[in-house]
Amino acid sequence: MQNKEFKLIGQRLFNEGLVAGNFGNMSVRIRGGFLITSNGSFLDEEESLRFVSMDGVPETGASSEWRVHYLSYLSGDAEAIVHAHPPFSIAASLLYNEIIPEDSEGKMFCPLIPVVSGEPGTVELAENISKFLISNKVVIAKGHGTFAKGKDLKEAYLLTSIVEHCCRILYYLGGFGGRSL
Amino acid sequence: MQNKEFKLIGQRLFNEGLVAGNFGNMSVRIRGGFLITSNGSFLDEEESLRFVSMDGVPETGASSEWRVHYLSYLSGDAEAIVHAHPPFSIAASLLYNEIIPEDSEGKMFCPLIPVVSGEPGTVELAENISKFLISNKVVIAKGHGTFAKGKDLKEAYLLTSIVEHCCRILYYLGGFGGRSL
Amino acid sequence: MQNKEFKLIGQRLFNEGLVAGNFGNMSVRIRGGFLITSNGSFLDEEESLRFVSMDGVPETGASSEWRVHYLSYLSGDAEAIVHAHPPFSIAASLLYNEIIPEDSEGKMFCPLIPVVSGEPGTVELAENISKFLISNKVVIAKGHGTFAKGKDLKEAYLLTSIVEHCCRILYYLGGFGGRSL
Amino acid sequence: MQNKEFKLIGQRLFNEGLVAGNFGNMSVRIRGGFLITSNGSFLDEEESLRFVSMDGVPETGASSEWRVHYLSYLSGDAEAIVHAHPPFSIAASLLYNEIIPEDSEGKMFCPLIPVVSGEPGTVELAENISKFLISNKVVIAKGHGTFAKGKDLKEAYLLTSIVEHCCRILYYLGGFGGRSL
């Protein structure tokens, strides 16, 4: 049941180019912890999901970014989290500290998208992201990718899709390089 | 029967990148009103279509943009309407008040593509779009997306595809940012 | 048998973004004439192919561009022809009268890609294309799309794919707009 | 078994746009030599794989680039090799002699991507690539495409995907044309 939803959302993430290779990860809160995709897996294939308890103990093989998910569930209201590597969002995050969309959907759903610093895999990045995810639905880790929360994987995926749409539109409006937001 | 055509056209819209996430909506005129996709649904999945009567009463769960479709059926000759979020078209609409294609297909099928103002979901936008759809086959709501009419979903989808093709070509010709049409 | 190959090549053309909507057409020479896709059909669906005799008489419903194919089979050695609408190629054709690839595959397979003038559907364009296809494997109709010949549909499709690859690389090297070839 | 893995990785290469047409090739080291895709085949279809012995004798129909694979297996530790034609990587390779990624994944997995010279199919290119693949996981043949090694096809594909991701991000940061790395 859980596996099926993970696979369906994973396929959508791939089809829209929001992830590639075996990057990205997803999780859903369950009783006493959360289920997360396994390390190095393809998000569009049937998953062997791993359990992480709210004591912070990950099952062997859990995504190496489990700590970002853990701290976000600990401090915030997320019921699901999607981490993806959308290319326009990543490029924008290397140039700006926050993204202000100009398209209608962006203005409505994420009028200000924070960009968060920290090296992938570090406690620093996990703490920064979880802190921002308390009051934001989606953030971009600078040069790395998006983290979106939702009441389920679908909502977290949709926010990821919207953020990439916003950044793509901003790029087409003149190129990130020659443009200050 | 209806559902199958909605799904097939929805899949084409996704495959060409004309919609992403759960955005966009489609409708077909039937006796006494029209059938429209449900709110928040994925256009490439089997739909639970909703009926809107020509008295302007939408069935629960109808797309939140049902009013644009309603007014367009009321005042014009559309038999089907497709609303999509094609990225090149949206970017172009933020910079120009009308789009003049330079490619052969654009010149033949939509030599002038109007850009229409108004916030998504408002009566103002619905009225503007329906007014333009009387004498135009396709318009772009500024920063939001395309609305195309046709004798069936296929024709409305094809016009959507052509508009995005036109805007993509214009973009490749030098970038929207550094270019006046 | 014929239908299956048309469908497989049509799917590849769609998957690579070389055609969209119901544009593009394909044909294969057979005894006494050639089989061509039908007017307004989707190239990735099972086709109801139409016969055009070498007397120049098209079966009802043949692609409206049958004349380009007809004249090309009449004057040249094509065994199959693919016409597609690849966006980078179309944009490049609006700016240049011939395309000189800079990538290895382009240099090897199509070191000079001619750009041909004429309005789609006219005898003028059909004559220009058929003339160029005598000594070239692939040409671009300005603002319209590619015409490639081959010993079969596969070869004609591969040349189409290479031309778009070449034009895409040229675009990434600096944008068509700010660049003279 | 081997064929199935070749096909699955081939499909991922296509879906991400890392190869198109019938370009690219893949190989896996086995006892006494290696298995390589056949010349002119589509990487996403069931393959008729060909054997090349470590004496340098290719089975008829082996990919015309078998020599690059052969020399790389001879001098290095590759267990599998993937050669693809990713467009952003190819464009970058025409402008720079080495690529320095700015995104997190690039910095982690391939902080310096060498660009190697030589005409496709020549011994010169094969020697250059095999030499660089001793101490690098992935290189780009200038204007031609990527060569990545791994402990299996999956790892070699993932490196290919990362390199294209890196080059795509660099392009979005300002266009290759107006930018020195």
PDB file of all heavy atoms in Angstrom, chain B residues 117-132:
ATOM      1  N   SER B 117      -5.400  39.322 -19.184  1.00  0.00           N
ATOM      2  CA  SER B 117      -5.058  39.584 -17.782  1.00  0.00           C
ATOM      3  C   SER B 117      -6.145  39.112 -16.823  1.00  0.00           C
ATOM      4  O   SER B 117      -7.288  38.861 -17.215  1.00  0.00           O
ATOM      5  CB  SER B 117      -4.829  41.081 -17.571  1.00  0.00           C
ATOM      6  OG  SER B 117      -3.695  41.489 -18.286  1.00  0.00           O
ATOM      7  N   GLY B 118      -5.760  39.051 -15.540  1.00  0.00           N
ATOM      8  CA  GLY B 118      -6.718  38.660 -14.505  1.00  0.00           C
ATOM      9  C   GLY B 118      -6.138  37.577 -13.612  1.00  0.00           C
ATOM     10  O   GLY B 118      -5.393  36.724 -14.066  1.00  0.00           O
ATOM     11  N   GLU B 119      -6.513  37.626 -12.335  1.00  0.00           N
ATOM     12  CA  GLU B 119      -6.017  36.626 -11.387  1.00  0.00           C
ATOM     13  C   GLU B 119      -6.755  35.296 -11.575  1.00  0.00           C
ATOM     14  O   GLU B 119      -7.971  35.288 -11.749  1.00  0.00           O
ATOM     15  CB  GLU B 119      -6.223  37.109  -9.946  1.00  0.00           C
ATOM     16  CG  GLU B 119      -5.336  38.276  -9.556  1.00  0.00           C
ATOM     17  CD  GLU B 119      -3.858  37.949  -9.653  1.00  0.00           C
ATOM     18  OE1 GLU B 119      -3.429  36.943  -9.070  1.00  0.00           O
ATOM     19  OE2 GLU B 119      -3.124  38.695 -10.344  1.00  0.00           O
ATOM     20  N   PRO B 120      -6.030  34.166 -11.505  1.00  0.00           N
ATOM     21  CA  PRO B 120      -6.683  32.856 -11.596  1.00  0.00           C
ATOM     22  C   PRO B 120      -7.809  32.713 -10.575  1.00  0.00           C
ATOM     23  O   PRO B 120      -7.648  33.114  -9.422  1.00  0.00           O
ATOM     24  CB  PRO B 120      -5.548  31.881 -11.273  1.00  0.00           C
ATOM     25  CG  PRO B 120      -4.316  32.597 -11.663  1.00  0.00           C
ATOM     26  CD  PRO B 120      -4.579  34.046 -11.381  1.00  0.00           C
ATOM     27  N   GLY B 121      -8.921  32.165 -11.014  1.00  0.00           N
ATOM     28  CA  GLY B 121     -10.032  31.923 -10.102  1.00  0.00           C
ATOM     29  C   GLY B 121     -11.027  33.069 -10.007  1.00  0.00           C
ATOM     30  O   GLY B 121     -12.099  32.919  -9.437  1.00  0.00           O
ATOM     31  N   THR B 122     -10.659  34.247 -10.554  1.00  0.00           N
ATOM     32  CA  THR B 122     -11.557  35.402 -10.452  1.00  0.00           C
ATOM     33  C   THR B 122     -12.552  35.440 -11.607  1.00  0.00           C
ATOM     34  O   THR B 122     -12.319  34.875 -12.673  1.00  0.00           O
ATOM     35  CB  THR B 122     -10.770  36.729 -10.461  1.00  0.00           C
ATOM     36  OG1 THR B 122     -10.104  36.847 -11.742  1.00  0.00           O
ATOM     37  CG2 THR B 122      -9.724  36.762  -9.360  1.00  0.00           C
ATOM     38  N   VAL B 123     -13.664  36.144 -11.373  1.00  0.00           N
ATOM     39  CA  VAL B 123     -14.662  36.359 -12.422  1.00  0.00           C
ATOM     40  C   VAL B 123     -14.050  37.204 -13.541  1.00  0.00           C
ATOM     41  O   VAL B 123     -14.318  36.972 -14.725  1.00  0.00           O
ATOM     42  CB  VAL B 123     -15.915  37.050 -11.837  1.00  0.00           C
ATOM     43  CG1 VAL B 123     -16.924  37.359 -12.933  1.00  0.00           C
ATOM     44  CG2 VAL B 123     -16.538  36.174 -10.758  1.00  0.00           C
ATOM     45  N   GLU B 124     -13.194  38.142 -13.158  1.00  0.00           N
ATOM     46  CA  GLU B 124     -12.560  39.019 -14.154  1.00  0.00           C
ATOM     47  C   GLU B 124     -11.813  38.198 -15.213  1.00  0.00           C
ATOM     48  O   GLU B 124     -11.982  38.401 -16.407  1.00  0.00           O
ATOM     49  CB  GLU B 124     -11.569  39.967 -13.464  1.00  0.00           C
ATOM     50  CG  GLU B 124     -10.906  40.958 -14.433  1.00  0.00           C
ATOM     51  CD  GLU B 124      -9.588  41.522 -13.901  1.00  0.00           C
ATOM     52  OE1 GLU B 124      -9.198  41.156 -12.757  1.00  0.00           O
ATOM     53  OE2 GLU B 124      -8.933  42.292 -14.632  1.00  0.00           O
ATOM     54  N   LEU B 125     -10.984  37.251 -14.765  1.00  0.00           N
ATOM     55  CA  LEU B 125     -10.229  36.441 -15.720  1.00  0.00           C
ATOM     56  C   LEU B 125     -11.176  35.585 -16.563  1.00  0.00           C
ATOM     57  O   LEU B 125     -11.007  35.464 -17.782  1.00  0.00           O
ATOM     58  CB  LEU B 125      -9.224  35.533 -14.990  1.00  0.00           C
ATOM     59  CG  LEU B 125      -8.370  34.657 -15.929  1.00  0.00           C
ATOM     60  CD1 LEU B 125      -7.490  35.500 -16.836  1.00  0.00           C
ATOM     61  CD2 LEU B 125      -7.505  33.676 -15.133  1.00  0.00           C
ATOM     62  N   ALA B 126     -12.179  34.999 -15.910  1.00  0.00           N
ATOM     63  CA  ALA B 126     -13.132  34.154 -16.629  1.00  0.00           C
ATOM     64  C   ALA B 126     -13.818  34.966 -17.732  1.00  0.00           C
ATOM     65  O   ALA B 126     -13.984  34.494 -18.861  1.00  0.00           O
ATOM     66  CB  ALA B 126     -14.155  33.573 -15.656  1.00  0.00           C
ATOM     67  N   GLU B 127     -14.202  36.182 -17.405  1.00  0.00           N
ATOM     68  CA  GLU B 127     -14.881  37.027 -18.404  1.00  0.00           C
ATOM     69  C   GLU B 127     -13.938  37.409 -19.539  1.00  0.00           C
ATOM     70  O   GLU B 127     -14.319  37.391 -20.705  1.00  0.00           O
ATOM     71  CB  GLU B 127     -15.440  38.285 -17.729  1.00  0.00           C
ATOM     72  CG  GLU B 127     -16.662  37.975 -16.868  1.00  0.00           C
ATOM     73  CD  GLU B 127     -17.210  39.207 -16.154  1.00  0.00           C
ATOM     74  OE1 GLU B 127     -16.480  40.236 -16.103  1.00  0.00           O
ATOM     75  OE2 GLU B 127     -18.340  39.132 -15.645  1.00  0.00           O
ATOM     76  N   ASN B 128     -12.701  37.740 -19.185  1.00  0.00           N
ATOM     77  CA  ASN B 128     -11.730  38.117 -20.224  1.00  0.00           C
ATOM     78  C   ASN B 128     -11.461  36.954 -21.178  1.00  0.00           C
ATOM     79  O   ASN B 128     -11.444  37.127 -22.399  1.00  0.00           O
ATOM     80  CB  ASN B 128     -10.414  38.560 -19.577  1.00  0.00           C
ATOM     81  CG  ASN B 128     -10.516  39.941 -18.966  1.00  0.00           C
ATOM     82  OD1 ASN B 128     -11.490  40.663 -19.217  1.00  0.00           O
ATOM     83  ND2 ASN B 128      -9.537  40.315 -18.162  1.00  0.00           N
ATOM     84  N   ILE B 129     -11.249  35.796 -20.610  1.00  0.00           N
ATOM     85  CA  ILE B 129     -10.937  34.643 -21.456  1.00  0.00           C
ATOM     86  C   ILE B 129     -12.116  34.281 -22.343  1.00  0.00           C
ATOM     87  O   ILE B 129     -11.964  34.068 -23.553  1.00  0.00           O
ATOM     88  CB  ILE B 129     -10.520  33.435 -20.588  1.00  0.00           C
ATOM     89  CG1 ILE B 129      -9.141  33.712 -19.975  1.00  0.00           C
ATOM     90  CG2 ILE B 129     -10.474  32.159 -21.427  1.00  0.00           C
ATOM     91  CD1 ILE B 129      -8.734  32.718 -18.915  1.00  0.00           C
ATOM     92  N   SER B 130     -13.303  34.213 -21.753  1.00  0.00           N
ATOM     93  CA  SER B 130     -14.479  33.806 -22.545  1.00  0.00           C
ATOM     94  C   SER B 130     -14.732  34.808 -23.669  1.00  0.00           C
ATOM     95  O   SER B 130     -15.125  34.430 -24.768  1.00  0.00           O
ATOM     96  CB  SER B 130     -15.700  33.666 -21.642  1.00  0.00           C
ATOM     97  OG  SER B 130     -16.039  34.911 -21.065  1.00  0.00           O
ATOM     98  N   LYS B 131     -14.488  36.086 -23.398  1.00  0.00           N
ATOM     99  CA  LYS B 131     -14.669  37.122 -24.426  1.00  0.00           C
ATOM    100  C   LYS B 131     -13.691  36.892 -25.584  1.00  0.00           C
ATOM    101  O   LYS B 131     -14.083  36.925 -26.754  1.00  0.00           O
ATOM    102  CB  LYS B 131     -14.430  38.502 -23.791  1.00  0.00           C
ATOM    103  CG  LYS B 131     -15.009  39.669 -24.565  1.00  0.00           C
ATOM    104  CD  LYS B 131     -14.947  40.945 -23.726  1.00  0.00           C
ATOM    105  CE  LYS B 131     -13.501  41.309 -23.371  1.00  0.00           C
ATOM    106  NZ  LYS B 131     -13.407  42.483 -22.474  1.00  0.00           N
ATOM    107  N   PHE B 132     -12.447  36.613 -25.250  1.00  0.00           N
ATOM    108  CA  PHE B 132     -11.440  36.413 -26.304  1.00  0.00           C
ATOM    109  C   PHE B 132     -11.664  35.097 -27.045  1.00  0.00           C
ATOM    110  O   PHE B 132     -11.330  34.981 -28.217  1.00  0.00           O
ATOM    111  CB  PHE B 132     -10.027  36.449 -25.708  1.00  0.00           C
ATOM    112  CG  PHE B 132      -9.437  37.829 -25.669  1.00  0.00           C
ATOM    113  CD1 PHE B 132      -9.613  38.649 -24.561  1.00  0.00           C
ATOM    114  CD2 PHE B 132      -8.733  38.330 -26.760  1.00  0.00           C
ATOM    115  CE1 PHE B 132      -9.076  39.926 -24.522  1.00  0.00           C
ATOM    116  CE2 PHE B 132      -8.184  39.605 -26.726  1.00  0.00           C
ATOM    117  CZ  PHE B 132      -8.361  40.410 -25.610  1.00  0.00           C
TER     118      PHE B 132
END
